[in-house]
Amino acid sequence: MDDKEIEKYVEDLYKELDGKISKEELRKIFNIWLSYNYSPEKVKEKILQKYKPGRILKIGEIKEEMKNINTVGKILTIKLTEKDGRRTYSGIIGDETGTIPFTTSREMPFKKGDVVRITNGYSGYFKDKLRLYIQQNSGVEKLDNYKIERVQTVPSKYTIDKIEGKSRNIETKMRILYAEERETNGKKRVSGIAGDNTGTIPFTAWNKKLEEGKSYIVKGAYAREFKGKIYLTIDENTEILELNEDVPVNEKIITLQEAIKSGIATGWFEGIFLEVSDDSGLIARCPVCRKILKGTECPEHGKVTPINDVIGKATFDDGTASGKVIFLRNEMESILQKNFEEILKMVVSTPGIPVIKEELEKRILLKPYRILGKLSVKDQNFFNITIFEIKPIGNKELSELKERLMGMV
Amino acid sequence: MMAREPAWRIFAFEFNDSMFVPKTGQEKETNYILTRMGAKINRVLISGIIENKNIINENTFITGIVNDRTGTFHISADKNYSPLKVWSYLFSIEPPVRVLLVGKVRSYGESKNLDIRVENITECDSFIEDYWRLSAAINLVERIKIMKLALSEEKDKLLNMGYSEESLNSIFAAIENFKDTKIDAYLKTIKEMFGISQEEKNPEDVILQLIESLDFDGKGARYEDVVENALKEGFERTRVDEIIDSLLERGLIYEPSVNIFKKL
Ligand SMILES: [Zn+2]
């Protein structure tokens, strides 16, 4: 621990004790305790206990083996058990900094939602959990005019494949694979797909900045289930931390049949392109709604000056089903390894030839690829996939397949 | 609109161990074969070496043999009906050539021989062939897994487990029609093909992997998180405790603070 960090603790303590003890004195005591191998947090507690014994602790400040604890919390659960004539109350109390289980043989005539002040409690571990013990000589008192609006429960850590529809207060580490920003009722909304090395999940984030390709730790998100599919919701109360390194993403492959059946709309698919459609090429879009136009007339916006765009359509097959995939401009640029200007140039310089279709065929026809895409089922027999990311099967993917096979037999 | 038939990645030894699905007499009926392992197939994607080809019927018909190292497929193209690209490719090649092709099954001749009418074909390298072989193997092993269940469980139960009605129907039909399922022989072939020896996944490795992947902040994984996730992998709580103890003892993990575990 360096001097700078120690100084931070000294500053905190100085403020906390209202300047009653000089900084030099605090620095000296702090260093003595540190030299006895106590953690700085523990040292801080020891100093506060000595110089400010009566202070009210936030629940989140309660640590192992503390005595004379004074705190205020909201009762989240409470139950009475009677055994051999002994009455024991146990439950959980919390405030905006955390929650803690409590146990006492003292009478606790309270109910869920009551805010109580506890004095002279102590803490310790029992059955792997830090607990607050209320003794016979502790004080307990219901506070009628004290409100605790929001209780902070510790988020549970999940890998993405373990998130279920009922999961709450989720902490997860993920990389944004695809993100789309929209505005709904003046609220900024980012939706897309996130992943880690166990799978992918669609998400919606409200008034948060999440960028495609970046990795984050998300704390306090929740999940919901819709038509058998799990979505992650990140709202204003969710904490987001951007990570410097990339979270590795396992491209867990789902089959088209599974996707169609379960209504899963986004994921990685692996298969072969069997055909490139004749209608791959340049298209015109309405500048307002981006609808593909036949001429210069948009059914919604009337006469417009269309904007040029390029699209690719192909038949993709993974052995379980076969359907149409759509390459939008970004993916066309990446697969043809040309920017849009160059694609336009190529078309102009080869009049009368379906050059975009031919170029697309050269690159994808009868070749295996992994695609990250959104599948929409038109009816039971027909679906299409809009591609967000595409990459050829390489040595890495081949060894993954081999490993998968090994795991199966 | 009819669903487009998927292209089955299937080995020759299974493809040839099959029967034609009897027709019901409707117009424009699709040809299907049903294999012993319960694949109901109209279209295939295969890879292997074209060993030989014959141009017959006054240069209007081509037949060929594709060897995928497990057996051979008979393939064909018709000058009048096959895509021009396919016809001219097959017309011009000199076997042996490694190919990847997609085609539809059909029967021909008096003795109802099994044949694949080529829809699209391309020369390929050994990488693509390896990829195809792995895909075909995974597909087969997956069906074997369902077939094993189908031999002991009711169809309703398998439906509830999430298997599709269509694939279950084919698997149950195969069990009924072929009597002897020869599952072990099929699995043995796959294992030999890829040089796989029998090894169980070690439960300690699974827990160790969990502890590593749940260590989000580098400070370690919480006991509750490990248990929660392990339960979903099918472990019992007491078993997880035993494994954690053993990992601690063997020094593969340590406990930086109470109930936090970290991989060494
Ligand atoms: Zn428009």
Side-chain angles (χ1 to χ4, degrees):
Chain A
M1 184 158 192
D2 63 29
D3 289 349
K4 238 181 173 171
E5 282 176 82
I6 293 172
E7 212 47 40
K8 248 165 79 191
Y9 279 98
V10 170
E11 284 291 333
D12 283 355
L13 283 163
Y14 185 75
K15 263 185 232 155
E16 193 82 46
L17 298 171
D18 305 319
K20 273 191 297 194
I21 317 287
S22 74
K23 287 186 190 174
E24 294 88 89
E25 184 70 12
L26 285 169
R27 205 172 294 126
K28 200 177 102 198
I29 308 170
F30 201 93
N31 278 312
I32 292 171
W33 280 118
L34 264 188
S35 68
Y36 278 86
N37 277 336
Y38 286 103
S39 72
E41 278 299 322
K42 191 87 186 175
V43 174
K44 184 178 166 191
E45 280 312 318
K46 281 187 171 294
I47 296 173
L48 283 174
Q49 270 179 46
K50 181 165 178 201
Y51 294 103
K52 205 178 175 183
R55 90 189 170 103
I56 304 276
L57 296 180
K58 288 288 175 198
I59 301 277
E61 290 181 294
I62 299 175
K63 302 274 153 57
E64 198 179 347
E65 282 169 45
M66 285 170 65
K67 294 193 176 76
N68 195 13
I69 294 171
N70 303 321
T71 189
V72 172
K74 185 188 218 167
I75 293 186
L76 303 176
T77 65
I78 183 162
K79 76 168 194 250
L80 169 65
T81 39
E82 291 191 71
K83 202 181 158 195
D84 308 326
R86 270 182 56 129
R87 290 160 63 84
T88 308
Y89 285 89
S90 58
I92 297 172
I93 71 167
D95 66 9
E96 65 284 357
T97 66
T99 63
I100 191 167
F102 67 86
T103 310
T104 182
S105 51
R106 200 181 184 291
E107 280 305 307
M108 293 274 281
F110 308 124
K111 60 179 194 306
K112 189 177 157 181
D114 286 350
V115 173
V116 294
R117 185 199 342 251
I118 293 158
T119 50
N120 196 25
Y122 68 99
S123 69
Y125 267 94
F126 180 66
K127 280 192 185 162
D128 307 334
K129 272 210 163 79
L130 181 65
R131 282 158 209 271
L132 172 64
Y133 296 99
I134 303 162
Q135 317 167 76
Q136 285 299 338
N137 63 357
S138 296
V140 279
E141 174 193 357
K142 187 173 162 214
L143 304 180
D144 286 320
N145 296 316
Y146 195 108
K147 286 220 160 23
I148 296 177
E149 296 295 350
R150 201 173 140 251
V151 173
Q152 174 69 46
T153 51
V154 182
S156 305
K157 287 173 182 168
Y158 290 84
T159 53
I160 281 178
D161 63 330
K162 299 295 189 322
I163 296 172
E164 293 176 337
K166 60 178 185 342
S167 302
R168 291 287 169 274
N169 207 358
I170 296 164
E171 174 175 345
T172 191
K173 221 171 161 179
M174 63 192 206
R175 187 157 108 217
I176 307 298
L177 301 172
Y178 167 74
E180 212 178 71
E181 214 178 285
R182 290 241 171 82
E183 220 170 279
T184 315
N185 303 330
K187 266 186 154 186
K188 226 175 65 183
R189 191 188 76 172
V190 181
S191 55
I193 305 158
D196 69 4
N197 62 2
T198 68
T200 59
I201 191 166
F203 70 88
T204 305
W206 296 94
N207 284 344
K208 293 275 178 193
K209 199 172 148 68
L210 289 168
E211 286 176 59
E212 201 168 299
K214 290 196 171 161
S215 295
Y216 301 88
I217 286 188
V218 167
K219 289 182 184 178
Y222 59 93
R224 64 197 168 84
E225 195 171 343
F226 180 64
K227 288 188 178 169
K229 191 181 164 191
I230 314 290
Y231 295 81
L232 187 70
T233 305
I234 293 162
D235 65 13
E236 279 115 330
N237 295 325
T238 312
E239 193 187 335
I240 301 238
L241 301 162
E242 192 183 325
L243 293 165
N244 288 323
E245 82 277 26
D246 279 350
V247 169
V249 173
N250 178 350
E251 293 143 24
K252 193 180 162 221
I253 307 296
I254 50 173
T255 67
L256 291 171
Q257 201 185 52
E258 276 166 4
I260 295 164
K261 195 166 162 283
S262 67
I264 291 175
T266 40
W268 284 93
F269 304 98
E270 182 183 303
I272 284 185
F273 292 99
L274 296 183
E275 239 176 77
V276 173
S277 306
D278 290 336
D279 53 358
S280 301
L282 292 184
I283 49 162
R285 288 188 188 276
C286 167
V288 188
C289 63
R290 314 231 352 117
K291 206 170 263 161
I292 299 178
L293 307 179
K294 286 259 154 56
T296 56
E297 194 103 357
C298 172
E300 257 182 79
H301 301 97
K303 190 125 178 102
V304 292
T305 311
I307 45 174
N308 280 327
D309 202 358
V310 62
I311 201 166
K313 292 182 187 175
T315 304
F316 184 74
D317 179 300
D318 75 347
T320 70
S322 183
K324 192 129 285 178
V325 300
I326 295 159
F327 294 78
L328 299 177
R329 181 158 157 178
N330 275 347
E331 283 59 47
M332 283 299 273
E333 288 179 332
S334 106
I335 203 95
L336 299 181
Q337 289 170 312
K338 285 184 167 62
N339 65 32
F340 187 60
E341 297 306 312
E342 291 166 332
I343 294 172
L344 278 178
K345 223 192 243 166
M346 180 177 75
V347 175
V348 174
S349 63
T350 49
I353 294 169
V355 62
I356 290 173
K357 183 198 169 195
E358 286 176 2
E359 285 294 309
L360 195 54
E361 276 185 341
K362 253 189 240 166
R363 279 160 168 115
I364 66 168
L365 194 61
L366 292 179
K367 289 191 172 72
Y369 275 93
R370 281 191 183 173
I371 59 175
L372 173 66
K374 181 173 169 189
L375 180 144
S376 35
V377 179
K378 299 284 171 207
D379 68 57
Q380 236 189 320
N381 294 324
F382 191 71
F383 64 89
N384 62 39
I385 300 176
T386 305
I387 299 182
F388 304 142
E389 214 176 308
I390 173 163
K391 54 182 199 178
I393 300 288
N395 285 317
K396 185 176 142 269
E397 287 76 16
L398 207 66
S399 14
E400 276 172 31
L401 281 178
K402 182 137 196 207
E403 237 167 70
R404 194 175 144 210
L405 179 65
M406 305 277 231
M408 289 169 72
V409 296
Chain B
M1 191 167 175
M2 280 279 286
R4 197 186 142 95
E5 289 289 338
W8 287 78
R9 284 74 165 152
I10 191 134
F11 290 118
F13 81 107
E14 185 186 356
F15 185 79
N16 294 320
D17 189 5
S18 65
M19 57 181 274
F20 280 101
V21 174
K23 300 220 167 182
T24 54
Q26 279 168 326
E27 223 181 310
K28 285 226 165 184
E29 213 171 326
T30 311
N31 281 313
Y32 288 107
I33 59 163
L34 178 67
T35 71
R36 186 181 296 271
M37 288 301 133
K40 191 181 165 196
I41 299 173
N42 168 254
R43 178 176 278 126
V44 293
L45 179 79
I46 61 169
S47 183
I49 304 284
I50 297 192
E51 283 186 344
N52 67 48
K53 72 158 190 196
N54 293 300
I55 303 172
I56 54 174
N57 292 359
E58 296 166 355
N59 288 352
T60 60
F61 204 79
I62 300 174
T63 63
I65 301 279
V66 175
N67 186 334
D68 77 346
R69 296 191 248 175
T70 75
T72 55
F73 299 97
H74 292 258
I75 62 164
S76 69
D78 186 303
K79 190 177 182 183
N80 297 315
Y81 297 109
S82 294
L84 181 61
K85 239 170 58 180
V86 169
W87 173 262
S88 33
Y89 178 80
L90 282 173
F91 197 87
S92 63
I93 54 160
E94 290 298 335
V97 185
R98 187 186 282 114
V99 294
L100 178 77
L101 71 86
V102 53
K104 285 192 159 194
V105 299
R106 66 176 200 128
S107 63
Y108 70 95
E110 291 282 304
S111 49
K112 288 229 158 200
N113 289 313
L114 182 54
D115 175 70
I116 296 166
R117 176 60 63 85
V118 181
E119 293 178 303
N120 211 338
I121 184 166
T122 183
E123 198 167 323
C124 74
D125 55 18
S126 62
F127 179 86
I128 297 287
E129 192 192 0
D130 285 348
Y131 168 75
W132 174 82
R133 280 158 56 82
L134 280 166
S135 309
I138 288 170
N139 181 293
L140 173 56
V141 175
E142 234 148 46
R143 260 178 298 119
I144 289 177
K145 191 179 93 191
I146 309 173
M147 185 165 260
K148 274 184 176 167
L149 287 168
L151 288 167
S152 61
E153 307 289 339
E154 295 287 325
K155 189 175 151 194
D156 279 350
K157 175 149 183 220
L158 298 185
L159 280 172
N160 285 336
M161 286 170 80
Y163 297 112
S164 81
E165 170 119 50
E166 221 182 324
S167 60
L168 287 178
N169 283 345
S170 310
I171 282 167
F172 278 98
I175 292 172
E176 200 185 313
N177 282 292
F178 289 95
K179 311 294 184 228
D180 180 5
T181 58
K182 293 192 181 166
I183 282 177
D184 293 335
Y186 266 81
L187 273 177
K188 195 164 157 258
T189 308
I190 293 288
K191 283 178 186 167
E192 282 168 5
M193 206 186 296
F194 293 94
I196 301 168
S197 57
Q198 321 268 35
E199 265 176 75
E200 287 278 303
K201 208 172 173 190
N202 182 351
E204 295 204 346
D205 290 344
V206 178
I207 299 295
L208 198 59
Q209 178 91 52
L210 271 179
I211 288 172
E212 196 180 7
S213 61
L214 290 166
D215 180 3
F216 288 1
D217 48 13
K219 289 177 185 159
R222 287 203 331 224
Y223 171 76
E224 297 99 281
D225 294 328
V226 176
V227 171
E228 176 88 354
N229 285 274
L231 291 179
K232 289 178 190 163
E233 300 266 5
F235 282 88
E236 283 178 25
R237 187 177 289 269
T238 52
R239 182 83 183 106
V240 180
D241 291 344
E242 278 169 31
I243 292 173
I244 288 178
D245 281 344
S246 148
L247 292 173
L248 281 167
E249 252 169 49
R250 290 166 51 207
L252 294 171
I253 57 170
Y254 67 106
E255 200 171 358
S257 50
V258 182
N259 282 309
I260 304 282
F261 299 103
K262 194 162 166 56
K263 193 179 165 188
L264 270 167

